[in-house]
Amino acid sequence: MLKAIFFGLGSATMLTLPAFSQLPRQSDRLQVVYPPNSHQTNAEQIFLIGSAPLAGTVEVNGQRLSRSELGHFAPSFPLTVGQNRFTLTYRQPSGATETKVVTVERLASAITPPRELAEPFPAVVIARQPQELVCFQVQAPAQAQVSVTLGRESFPLQPQMGAVLPSNAAVLTLDNEAPTGSFTGTYGGCQRFSEPGNLGQARYQMNFQGRTSTAASLGNIEILNSQALGAIAVTSAAGVARTGPGTDFSRLTPLPQGTQALVTGKEGDWLRLDYGAWIRANETQPIQGAVLPTSTIRSVRSQTQATSTEVIFPLQRPVPVTVAQNDDTFSLTLHQAIAQTDTIYLAESPVIRRLDWAQVDPETIRYNFRLKTDQQWGYDLRYEGNNLILSLRHPPQLGTNSLQGATILLDPGHGGSESGALGPTGYPEKAINLLISQKIQQQLTAKGANVILTRTDDRDVSLGDRQAAIANGQPTLALSVHYNALPDAGDAENTAGIGMFWYHPQAHDLAQFLHDELTSRLDRPSYGVFWNNLALTRPHEAPSVLMELGFMINPTEFEWITEPQAQDQLAGAIAQSIERWLRTKTSP
């Protein structure tokens, strides 16, 4: 799943690729496509991906390798901290040899407490409300005495014990257990402040081994006036709301353009909004003048259109929203909203059975749409002035014996300067993604479906443009076509199989169905079905699934991936599975 091309330290290592006029299944020389020389990694092991002519043998540091039927290899070797040297030797039957040397540096992963004060919080300007906890932290050596002063208040900080969690990518190798907590050099503590104003920098003091040192935070700390909070309006088409002030924090429901909210906190260029989510300041603009802290809402009505049912929520101001999907329920939450509702009108709709609502707390309303089936087909949220418009898409109307009426968007992953994963011969994932997508297109078109491709040749297509193709094309389904790789800690030689990735619940059943059908029909191993926050699983306009159809880096599976008859069988099985799923979900 981690590609472009492979990951070592969390950023991709790009390799120079040969130009391929045809799909290469075998190598005519010794090739090592990963890792590149002088590679750095935090992993405890590394795999070597490559190939050589089948006649002859390949050794690594004198150890003979087992290879696939076409001569590919992907062994893993343990790494010691520091430099690791791998000498690969190909011995031809004639006795001639070819040698390549790869060095890999394993970086120390243990966190060593510093000898001086370091990383004083905050590194950026932050703002909090009166009486809200402000939590300080700084790095210092063990057994030190550390304190912090802000304004006229000083208090001691305590050593913090805790586990450093593995990255999200660790779940892809089933190695995401939390380690035992230990002291990593962090001292911390929290305090409340009452008076609004700029309290300035946090000043830290350390007494250690008979000497005293000090450090000041780079950022100031401000306490906001809760009676005069600023307000913003979202300017992005879909403002990215998160659980915290940074891209490491999880995404929440995107905020429709025009959403208004009070700002209750700041951290650098991140703003905390009145309902708790954070958003980048550059996705907003300040609102001049007073903004209502809450909005009332009275009546609600719907109108049924050709391909969707629209529900209109008239508000005093555009408030933040949150969406949740269940099998037969679509839940819309309005934050900073108070109901004065007596009447709701729902027009006859192919999707909505009933609407229930409740004021779940004094400033939050939840609307639960009870649906007629357990499959949802996409939704959209937008503001038109102070009216929130929710569009729930209708199921497709299929032809009797064809897929006429269905539009399938296929997204061949990567392309242009972005190669994706490399197979042992250096064959890039971007090429097989396009080839298989075109084969699937042929199969679906023959069944009567309208098929949209996000690219038809080897070109760069941004993730934003791929997402826009889904939003603008309004397909019945969106499938992103990929082949897989692993982080350095993975076992490339023994990891294989088909995997599916989904984000919105409306896509889960499709992801599971495709996985089960393909592994069963084609007798392929299973890599699994994953919930994953990916650019091509996040679109909500249609059920969107990212397919990983096999591992480019697995020597044996690469041979299956590049075998023309197997490609035709795979494309046919995908098209048949799509048809079966659509028939099942649209039958009365």
Side-chain angles (χ1 to χ4, degrees), residues 16 52 126 151 156 165-166 193 251 309 339 445 470 543 546 550:
T16 301
I126 71 167
L165 294 178
F193 300 88
R251 288 176 179 250
T309 295
T445 301
I470 298 173
L546 187 143

mmCIF file of all heavy atoms in Angstrom, residues 16 52 126 151 156 165-166 193 251 309 339 445 470 543 546 550:
data_model
loop_
_atom_site.group_PDB
_atom_site.id
_atom_site.type_symbol
_atom_site.label_atom_id
_atom_site.label_comp_id
_atom_site.label_asym_id
_atom_site.label_seq_id
_atom_site.Cartn_x
_atom_site.Cartn_y
_atom_site.Cartn_z
ATOM 1 N N THR A 16 15.471 5.965 -10.892
ATOM 2 C CA THR A 16 15.476 6.209 -12.330
ATOM 3 C C THR A 16 14.995 4.963 -13.045
ATOM 4 O O THR A 16 15.522 3.862 -12.835
ATOM 5 C CB THR A 16 16.893 6.570 -12.803
ATOM 6 O OG1 THR A 16 17.328 7.727 -12.092
ATOM 7 C CG2 THR A 16 16.895 6.851 -14.302
ATOM 8 N N ALA A 52 17.462 -11.511 -12.151
ATOM 9 C CA ALA A 52 18.615 -11.872 -12.983
ATOM 10 C C ALA A 52 18.180 -13.023 -13.886
ATOM 11 O O ALA A 52 17.187 -13.709 -13.593
ATOM 12 C CB ALA A 52 19.807 -12.276 -12.124
ATOM 13 N N ILE A 126 0.175 30.251 20.211
ATOM 14 C CA ILE A 126 -1.056 29.518 20.497
ATOM 15 C C ILE A 126 -2.009 30.435 21.253
ATOM 16 O O ILE A 126 -1.599 31.403 21.906
ATOM 17 C CB ILE A 126 -0.812 28.223 21.308
ATOM 18 C CG1 ILE A 126 -0.403 28.550 22.753
ATOM 19 C CG2 ILE A 126 0.228 27.341 20.627
ATOM 20 C CD1 ILE A 126 -0.452 27.342 23.680
ATOM 21 N N GLY A 151 3.984 34.481 32.375
ATOM 22 C CA GLY A 151 3.436 35.649 33.064
ATOM 23 C C GLY A 151 3.983 35.702 34.472
ATOM 24 O O GLY A 151 5.196 35.667 34.709
ATOM 25 N N PRO A 156 6.307 23.552 38.706
ATOM 26 C CA PRO A 156 7.249 22.505 38.286
ATOM 27 C C PRO A 156 6.642 21.610 37.202
ATOM 28 O O PRO A 156 5.422 21.462 37.099
ATOM 29 C CB PRO A 156 7.496 21.722 39.571
ATOM 30 C CG PRO A 156 6.236 21.912 40.359
ATOM 31 C CD PRO A 156 5.759 23.303 40.049
ATOM 32 N N LEU A 165 4.114 5.566 19.796
ATOM 33 C CA LEU A 165 3.308 4.660 18.973
ATOM 34 C C LEU A 165 3.927 4.444 17.600
ATOM 35 O O LEU A 165 4.533 5.361 17.027
ATOM 36 C CB LEU A 165 1.895 5.230 18.809
ATOM 37 C CG LEU A 165 1.047 5.311 20.077
ATOM 38 C CD1 LEU A 165 -0.301 5.950 19.761
ATOM 39 C CD2 LEU A 165 0.848 3.924 20.680
ATOM 40 N N PRO A 166 3.761 3.245 17.049
ATOM 41 C CA PRO A 166 4.204 3.021 15.670
ATOM 42 C C PRO A 166 3.346 3.829 14.703
ATOM 43 O O PRO A 166 2.246 4.266 15.035
ATOM 44 C CB PRO A 166 4.010 1.515 15.471
ATOM 45 C CG PRO A 166 2.990 1.121 16.491
ATOM 46 C CD PRO A 166 3.167 2.043 17.649
ATOM 47 N N PHE A 193 -5.338 29.464 33.090
ATOM 48 C CA PHE A 193 -5.123 30.903 33.197
ATOM 49 C C PHE A 193 -6.450 31.617 32.991
ATOM 50 O O PHE A 193 -7.239 31.244 32.113
ATOM 51 C CB PHE A 193 -4.095 31.372 32.174
ATOM 52 C CG PHE A 193 -2.754 30.716 32.343
ATOM 53 C CD1 PHE A 193 -2.474 29.498 31.718
ATOM 54 C CD2 PHE A 193 -1.794 31.285 33.152
ATOM 55 C CE1 PHE A 193 -1.242 28.880 31.884
ATOM 56 C CE2 PHE A 193 -0.553 30.666 33.334
ATOM 57 C CZ PHE A 193 -0.277 29.470 32.701
ATOM 58 N N ARG A 251 -9.058 13.228 10.010
ATOM 59 C CA ARG A 251 -10.023 14.079 9.325
ATOM 60 C C ARG A 251 -11.417 13.884 9.894
ATOM 61 O O ARG A 251 -11.787 12.779 10.300
ATOM 62 C CB ARG A 251 -10.053 13.756 7.831
ATOM 63 C CG ARG A 251 -8.819 14.217 7.067
ATOM 64 C CD ARG A 251 -8.902 13.763 5.620
ATOM 65 N NE ARG A 251 -7.745 14.219 4.858
ATOM 66 C CZ ARG A 251 -7.777 15.155 3.904
ATOM 67 N NH1 ARG A 251 -8.942 15.722 3.593
ATOM 68 N NH2 ARG A 251 -6.692 15.501 3.251
ATOM 69 N N THR A 309 -32.322 13.021 -4.068
ATOM 70 C CA THR A 309 -33.298 13.707 -3.229
ATOM 71 C C THR A 309 -32.571 14.783 -2.450
ATOM 72 O O THR A 309 -31.561 14.496 -1.785
ATOM 73 C CB THR A 309 -33.979 12.733 -2.268
ATOM 74 O OG1 THR A 309 -34.742 11.776 -3.021
ATOM 75 C CG2 THR A 309 -34.919 13.461 -1.316
ATOM 76 N N ALA A 339 -33.150 23.794 17.837
ATOM 77 C CA ALA A 339 -34.374 23.512 17.082
ATOM 78 C C ALA A 339 -35.558 24.317 17.602
ATOM 79 O O ALA A 339 -35.780 24.419 18.809
ATOM 80 C CB ALA A 339 -34.691 22.027 17.152
ATOM 81 N N THR A 445 -17.614 -1.946 -20.774
ATOM 82 C CA THR A 445 -18.267 -1.333 -21.931
ATOM 83 C C THR A 445 -19.064 -2.371 -22.700
ATOM 84 O O THR A 445 -20.189 -2.105 -23.168
ATOM 85 C CB THR A 445 -17.232 -0.660 -22.839
ATOM 86 O OG1 THR A 445 -16.526 0.344 -22.095
ATOM 87 C CG2 THR A 445 -17.900 0.002 -24.034
ATOM 88 N N ILE A 470 -14.314 12.416 -9.888
ATOM 89 C CA ILE A 470 -15.418 11.708 -9.224
ATOM 90 C C ILE A 470 -16.541 12.688 -8.907
ATOM 91 O O ILE A 470 -17.724 12.419 -9.168
ATOM 92 C CB ILE A 470 -14.917 11.003 -7.954
ATOM 93 C CG1 ILE A 470 -13.864 9.951 -8.312
ATOM 94 C CG2 ILE A 470 -16.078 10.357 -7.202
ATOM 95 C CD1 ILE A 470 -13.190 9.306 -7.108
ATOM 96 N N PRO A 543 -19.858 5.442 -3.925
ATOM 97 C CA PRO A 543 -19.039 4.432 -3.250
ATOM 98 C C PRO A 543 -17.675 4.340 -3.940
ATOM 99 O O PRO A 543 -17.595 4.088 -5.149
ATOM 100 C CB PRO A 543 -19.851 3.146 -3.430
ATOM 101 C CG PRO A 543 -21.270 3.615 -3.562
ATOM 102 C CD PRO A 543 -21.169 4.908 -4.335
ATOM 103 N N LEU A 546 -10.413 1.710 -3.275
ATOM 104 C CA LEU A 546 -9.088 1.566 -3.875
ATOM 105 C C LEU A 546 -8.719 0.096 -3.850
ATOM 106 O O LEU A 546 -8.716 -0.530 -2.790
ATOM 107 C CB LEU A 546 -8.060 2.410 -3.131
ATOM 108 C CG LEU A 546 -6.673 2.468 -3.783
ATOM 109 C CD1 LEU A 546 -6.067 3.861 -3.619
ATOM 110 C CD2 LEU A 546 -5.721 1.423 -3.208
ATOM 111 N N GLY A 550 -2.477 -6.971 -6.157
ATOM 112 C CA GLY A 550 -1.365 -7.891 -6.010
ATOM 113 C C GLY A 550 -0.118 -7.104 -5.665
ATOM 114 O O GLY A 550 -0.086 -5.877 -5.759
#
